[in-house]
Structure formats: C-alpha cells, structure tokens
Amino acid sequence: MTSTAASQPIINTDLVLLDVNAGGDKRTVIGRLVNGLADAGRTADAEGLTAAAMAREEQSATGLPGGIAIPHCRSPYVDTASIAFARLNPAVDFGAPDGPADLAFLIAAPEAGGAEHMKLLSSLARALVRKDFVEALRNATSSSEVVELVDGVLNATPDKPKPKPASAPTEANPKTLVAITACPTGIAHTYMAADSLVAAAKKAGVTLHVETQGSSGSTPLSAQTIADADAVIFATDVGVRDKQRFAGKPVVASGVKRAINEPDKMVAEALAAAADPDAARVQGDASAQTATAPAGGVGWGTRLRQILLTGVSYMIPFVAAGGLLIALGFLFGGYDIANTPAGDPKPLSFGMNALGNHIAIANTLTDLPAGGLTQYLGAVLFTLGQLAFMFLVPALAGYISFAIADRPGIAPGFTAGAVAVFVGGGFIGGIVGGLIAGFTALWISRIAAPRWLRGLMPVVIIPLVASLVVGLLMFMLLGRPLAAITSGLTHWLGGMTGTSVILLGIVLGLMMCFDLGGPVNKAAYAFATAGLNVADPASLRIMAAVMAAGMVPPLAMALASTVRPALFTEPERENGRAAWLLGASFISEGAIPFAAADPLRVIPSTMFGGAITGALIMAFDVTLKAPHGGIFVFFAIGHLLWFLVALAVGTVAGALAVIAAKQFAKSSAEAEEAPALATA
C-alpha cells in the first residue's frame, strides 16, 4: 500500500455487497469481503487478512443479537482502516445467541491503527445497537445508500465518542450507575457494550455514566460522578484501569459480551446490588465488605487469570529489551562475555571483567586498543541486558500485586519479587510472592482505620506492613528450602553422569524447562557450568544438553503461537514473535509470559520438548565449549548439524504438545468463560 491509501474513504461502493449468497459459513463470507478489499487495493495479501480475521473468530464469535455480525481484526496486511459490508441472503451463522446474521461488517484495522481510525470504527460499532440504523441498512436499495448511511454515522461524532447519560428518572430518589466497558482489541465490543447498557438504563429509568476504556481513547469518569453512583458495572475482558477509584461501591462484573447480550439483566443486577448491604463491592476501601466471589459471572478462576496476565503484560518489555540486548552483546563481543569471573557473583561484572584480557578499560573510547571497540560494545550491551533482566521477576510480582490491591500493592509486590530472586525462587517464587503481597495489601486495606490515619494507609501503612509480611514469609519459609533443593539436585545430577548419559540428557532437559530460571533450572545450569572443562568431553556434552534444552521453551512457544495464533492472546502472539530471537539466544525467560499465564499446559509441554532435545544431544555426542549464547556461539559447538537437529525436533515436539493441550484441555478459567463465549 502506498501513502495514497491513507486518503481513501473508510468505505465506498466497491466494498458493499447487497443480497448476496456468500456461502454457508462465516469463513466464506469473510473471504468474500476480504476479496472485495483486495480488488479495491486495500490489502496485498488476501489470504493473510482472512487468516487474521478467522483467528479473531476462533477466540470468540462476533455474531450479535439482531442478525448482525462484525468480524474484525488488526492486521499488518492493511495500511488503512477499511470497512466492507455484506447483506446476506441467506443469513449465515456467526455464533449469535438468537440465530444467523444477515448483515455483516468486516472491520480491518492496521496493526498499529491510529487513534482517529479507532474512533471511526468505534462509532460504527456503537451505531449497530440502534434499531433505526440497522433497519435502514436492511431496507437500503443501493450500495451508495449503504455508504451514505455508514458515512453519516462515522462523521456524526468526529471527537471522542462517548455515550450520553440516560435521562434522569422521574422517581423521587433516582438511582445513578456508573460502568466501565473494555475488550482486548478495543475496536467494537467496548463501545457496543457501553451503548447497550445506556439503552437498558434509560429503559429502566436510571441514570448511567459509562467510561469506555477502548482503542479510541477514554474520558475518565469524574470523581464526583463516581461518588454519586449507587453501584458500578464492570463489563470487561481485561483489567479495569484505576479500579481503586470505585473502591467500596457495590459491583456487578462480567465479560464485555454479556453487556451486549443481556444489558437489561446487568442493570437490574446493579440496582439490586445497590440496595443490598451484603452485595459484592469493589476491593480497596477500608470499609469495603468482603465478597465471597466476584459478582456477575466472573469466578475466581477468571479473576486469577486476569491477575496473572496483568503481571505478565508489564513484564514483557523487560523480557524483550533484556533478551535482545544480551543477544546483541554475544553478536558483538563473542561468547566469552558470559563467563563470570571466579568468586564474583555480581551481574554487572559479567561483561566487563570477562573481557579483561582483551580490553584495557580506559577512561575514553579513544584509549581502546585496535579492534577492541566491538568487544567493548558487546560487553556493554550484555551488561545492559543483564541489568534489564534483573527486573523481570520484580516486575512480574509487583504488577500481580497491583492487579489485586491496586497502587498500594506495587511496593510490596516488587519487594517480594526482589526477595524471590535473592533466595533463588525464580519466576515461580515471583508469582507466589506477588500473590502473597497483593492479598496482604488488600487485607490491610480492609481494616477499619481512624479517619486521621486513612490518608497514610495507601502511601505508608499498607506498603510498609505488606512488604514486611511478604519479606519475612519469603525469607523464613522459602530461602532455606530452595537452597536445599538446589544443592540436592546438583549432587543428584553429579551421581548420574556415570550411569546413563541418555537418561541424564532427559533429566537435564526436564529441569531446564521446568521453572525457567528458578531453582530447578539454576541447579541444572550450575551443574553444567561448574563442571565445564574443555579437556573433558563429558562436561561438554552436558553443557550442550543444558543449553539446547533451555532454548526449547521460547522456540516452542514462538512456533506454536505462529502456527495456531487463535489459541493465544494478542500479547502472547506479540511475545511469540520476540521469542524466536530470545530462544535462539538461549534466553529461556522468553517463555515466562506463556508459562505464567497458563502454567499447567505450557510447562509440561515445553518439558516434553526439552527432554527430547536433551536426550538427542547426548545420543548424537554433541559438545559445547561456551556456557551461553545459543546459535551465536555456533563456532563453539561440536557436531553443529546434530545440535540443530536435536533442537528442531524438541521445538516441534513442544509446540505440538502445547497446541494439543490448549486445543483439547481447557483451563478452568476458559471452561468458566465458555458459556459467555458461546453466546457472543
């Protein structure tokens, strides 16, 4: 697409199909609409765009009540936002609860769609809840009439669209509700849910103010509006931003699709909650009552998944930045920069001191010897990557705690993550610590404090007490057991070297993929590096098995998310693209976002692949003289071809295992969400 594509209207008559028989299934309909975009020069890869739209369909159906379907996606295969429309005869099933759809809009947005385009797309989505607009589409006699109708909607509200509050009821003491709507893509469902709730509230005679946290931006509800509200509705598929604002309010929570399908019920439930002193309330206020379970259909399984995904989403930038810096360090400086000086445990010294024999660290770069600049640069990049990686577990734990207790949970969570690293707990220790910190902070926030002390609670008391509690628990309960586990595993592995090298390869592969930087992984890696001796072929085989198996988790997840993107969330698919390079560089942490969000299916699958790779490395007598580096230290690998074969076999096996697990073994959270998805 050229720059002129950006000036094209979002829809024109070439993109409208009236009364067409597009086939008996939604794939065929989407294919016809995509072909229209291709014929109009809107996409250069019709197959890729169709696959992206179908991947979105596999996540959840896009059929809506009233015979409407809005398949949509963000995709690199379009450079300008476009809408294609089909009036279908016969209607086609898109998964709506009330039957097939005869009106289908395909919304194709650029992968990095700008805010203006998102505003236009959200305006269309909101218009689809208006019966007059839908009926006008059904009665249109020409393509130009359809384009005129859509243009009228898109150009009606050029500024940030937000639903108007419902008119105040006539009763003496009118009720007021507030709501948050948010979906993962933020293109359509966010705004349709908002307008559906507004219409239902108007019908019920109550005032409703909605904050849409979508792609076209958000105008936050004012503090006075929230204070005046009798109850709050959360219709979201992602975490609510700044949820602490609603602390203590009666709450009804659900996925965003329920607000579209059952807005009347949600408004009625919110009104009932407002009148019920024992109703569930938004967590965080000292006077908030404890709810036995989230209301409105969000169970603890889904809530826990949202908590973990919040931590993972904030951790991903550290994984990407740190991993890529380390990989660049190896590229410029060679594998020697990963050698830690004897007796020096500080990560900062990894790069600089390891190159001490090659570079005289000078006051200025002009003092470097000839040819030393690239090695110095490699050492700097490696050190920067190591420093970035030091924040992985603290960020994971900190934002897990934040998802539970909001801002007061951040400091205790980061503290718990730092302690987990200090005691060798790895990312599993970070998850546990983040959960402990978050729930501790939440519990403290519910203690009734005197008025004079309430101002200090979120900034002093809660962070202080929660950090102290989680720190003591982590040190006193986890430190010694983790140290004992690491030591015991190292001795156990040492006793296996003379028995069965194939079995040893399997065990090392399993360990490297178990906790991705935790005590088990560290024990296997320490066992390999401590015994590394270029004159001892057995130690070189162990090092090769450890590194190859450690490369499998990120590579397997990258392959799985590429082959079956519909089984993964959008953040996971983005992380999967970065995991290719992270895995190739022996950065096992590239798989942590996947494992943290879905440990019961991801970890066993990657362990399966890692065990195969470890066994094959031993069977093929592959050796490795470098303790780190992945494919960037190919010059230090003996039998390189067999190394690549073993790595490829294990990667494919791990990817197939995780695809099968996600396809046929649903998690508890997904099983809990299944009824809602079935009606979406």
Side-chain angles (χ1 to χ4, degrees):
M1 300 290 288
T2 64
S3 59
T4 59
S7 62
Q8 293 179 322
I10 199 169
I11 186 173
N12 58 34
T13 55
D14 294 333
L15 305 179
V16 176
L17 301 174
L18 293 182
D19 303 319
V20 296
N21 184 344
D25 58 52
K26 58 185 178 181
R27 176 180 287 276
T28 306
V29 174
I30 291 173
R32 285 285 299 273
L33 293 172
V34 169
N35 287 337
L37 293 176
D39 293 340
R42 303 288 183 116
T43 178
D45 189 340
E47 291 184 2
L49 182 56
T50 300
M54 288 306 302
R56 174 62 183 83
E57 288 291 321
E58 291 186 28
Q59 289 182 348
S60 61
T62 56
L64 301 171
I68 303 170
I70 51 166
H72 59 277
C73 66
R74 291 182 182 175
S75 170
Y77 304 117
V78 288
D79 291 333
T80 184
S82 300
I83 295 175
F85 170 78
R87 193 167 65 195
L88 305 171
N89 185 16
V92 175
D93 183 16
F94 274 80
D98 60 347
D102 64 327
L103 302 178
F105 280 95
L106 172 65
I107 303 174
E111 195 165 39
E116 292 302 317
H117 286 150
M118 293 302 102
K119 294 175 188 177
L120 296 175
L121 297 175
S122 64
S123 297
L124 172 64
R126 304 177 79 154
L128 291 175
V129 301
R130 288 170 30 201
K131 292 183 178 181
D132 59 334
F133 177 71
V134 174
E135 287 305 312
L137 291 174
R138 288 198 171 98
N139 297 326
T141 58
S142 66
S143 298
S144 59
E145 189 175 346
V146 171
V147 172
E148 184 178 352
L149 285 168
V150 175
D151 282 342
V153 169
L154 299 182
N155 298 322
T157 53
D159 296 324
K160 290 182 180 178
K162 57 181 180 180
K164 296 179 181 179
S167 58
T170 57
E171 59 182 90
N173 296 307
K175 295 291 185 182
T176 299
L177 304 176
V178 292
I180 298 290
T181 62
C183 65
T185 57
I187 294 177
H189 291 87
T190 297
Y191 305 99
M192 298 181 75
D195 284 351
S196 295
L197 289 171
V198 167
K202 186 174 183 178
K203 187 189 306 182
V206 300
T207 300
L208 175 67
H209 303 273
V210 184
E211 178 180 319
T212 53
Q213 297 182 351
S215 296
S216 66
S218 174
T219 301
L221 295 167
S222 69
Q224 187 61 50
T225 298
I226 296 173
D228 293 340
D230 297 287
V232 59
I233 297 173
F234 290 152
T236 68
D237 291 333
V238 293
V240 177
R241 293 198 293 267
D242 296 325
K243 185 174 66 175
Q244 190 72 17
R245 296 173 293 162
F246 306 92
K249 292 290 182 182
V251 61
V252 172
S254 79
V256 69
K257 299 178 190 65
R258 184 170 184 250
I260 299 173
N261 296 336
E262 301 178 346
D264 296 321
K265 289 184 179 180
M266 291 200 71
V267 169
E269 290 173 4
L271 293 174
D276 183 0
D278 296 323
R281 295 177 181 269
V282 180
Q283 300 170 343
D285 188 21
S287 62
Q289 301 181 30
T290 301
T292 57
V298 177
W300 286 114
T302 298
R303 177 63 182 139
L304 182 60
R305 182 169 178 264
Q306 290 176 340
I307 289 169
L308 294 177
L309 286 177
T310 299
V312 169
S313 67
Y314 282 99
M315 182 191 71
I316 286 175
F318 293 99
V319 175
L324 294 176
L325 285 169
I326 289 175
L328 289 172
F330 287 128
L331 182 62
F332 283 98
Y335 67 89
D336 279 342
I337 60 174
N339 292 328
T340 308
D344 188 352
K346 291 180 286 187
L348 184 60
S349 65
F350 278 20
M352 299 304 178
N353 290 348
L355 292 177
N357 294 330
H358 307 287
I359 301 175
I361 304 300
N363 292 327
T364 65
L365 292 179
T366 57
D367 295 331
L368 291 171
L373 179 58
T374 57
Q375 292 179 324
Y376 180 83
L377 178 60
V380 171
L381 292 173
F382 182 85
T383 303
L384 287 174
Q386 288 284 339
L387 291 172
F389 260 47
M390 292 172 63
F391 291 95
L392 291 188
V393 176
L396 174 66
Y399 285 101
I400 284 176
S401 181
F402 166 76
I404 298 170
D406 213 82
R407 286 188 178 90
I410 291 181
F414 268 83
T415 301
V419 174
V421 173
F422 186 84
V423 301
F427 91 95
I428 292 179
I431 291 176
V432 173
L435 292 172
I436 294 173
F439 284 112
T440 301
L442 179 62
W443 174 75
I444 297 172
S445 71
R446 293 182 173 183
I447 297 175
R451 179 173 298 179
W452 61 269
L453 189 60
R454 289 178 185 175
L456 295 176
M457 289 291 288
V459 294
V460 178
I461 305 300
I462 296 175
L464 172 63
V465 177
S467 297
L468 179 62
V469 170
V470 73
L472 290 175
L473 287 174
M474 294 286 286
F475 272 118
M476 297 175 65
L477 298 180
L478 293 178
R480 288 181 180 272
L482 288 173
I485 290 173
T486 302
S487 176
L489 288 173
T490 301
H491 285 91
W492 178 51
L493 289 174
M496 291 185 62
T497 55
T499 57
S500 172
V501 291
I502 302 295
L503 179 59
L504 177 59
I506 293 174
V507 173
L508 290 172
L510 292 171
M511 295 177 66
M512 287 300 296
C513 302
F514 176 69
D515 55 357
L516 306 175
V520 178
N521 173 285
K522 281 185 170 63
Y525 186 70
F527 170 71
T529 55
L532 184 61
N533 184 348
V534 294
D536 180 9
S539 71
L540 301 183
R541 292 168 73 185
I542 292 172
M543 190 70 250
V546 164
M547 188 170 82
M551 296 167 68
V552 166
L555 290 177
M557 299 312 301
L559 178 61
S561 61
T562 300
V563 174
R564 290 297 305 278
L567 298 176
F568 299 87
T569 65
E570 181 60 30
E572 286 176 328
R573 293 195 294 272
E574 292 177 0
N575 192 66
R577 289 188 280 271
W580 286 111
L581 183 56
L582 297 178
S585 306
F586 184 35
I587 307 298
S588 301
E589 287 85 351
I592 287 180
F594 299 92
D598 192 3
L600 295 181
R601 292 183 292 187
V602 169
I603 292 178
S605 299
T606 56
M607 289 174 67
F608 174 67
I612 292 175
T613 293
L616 292 177
I617 289 290
M618 291 295 191
F620 295 150
D621 197 24
V622 178
T623 60
L624 175 64
K625 297 179 181 179
H628 212 296
I631 62 172
F632 293 101
V633 293
F634 64 91
F635 45 83
I637 300 174
H639 298 153
L640 176 61
L641 177 61
W642 289 117
F643 178 90
L644 297 175
V645 169
L647 179 61
V649 172
T651 297
V652 171
L656 291 176
V658 78
I659 288 173
K662 285 181 173 288
Q663 182 74 35
F664 302 111
K666 290 186 176 181
S667 68
S668 59
E670 290 170 338
E672 182 179 283
E673 293 170 349
L677 294 179
T679 61

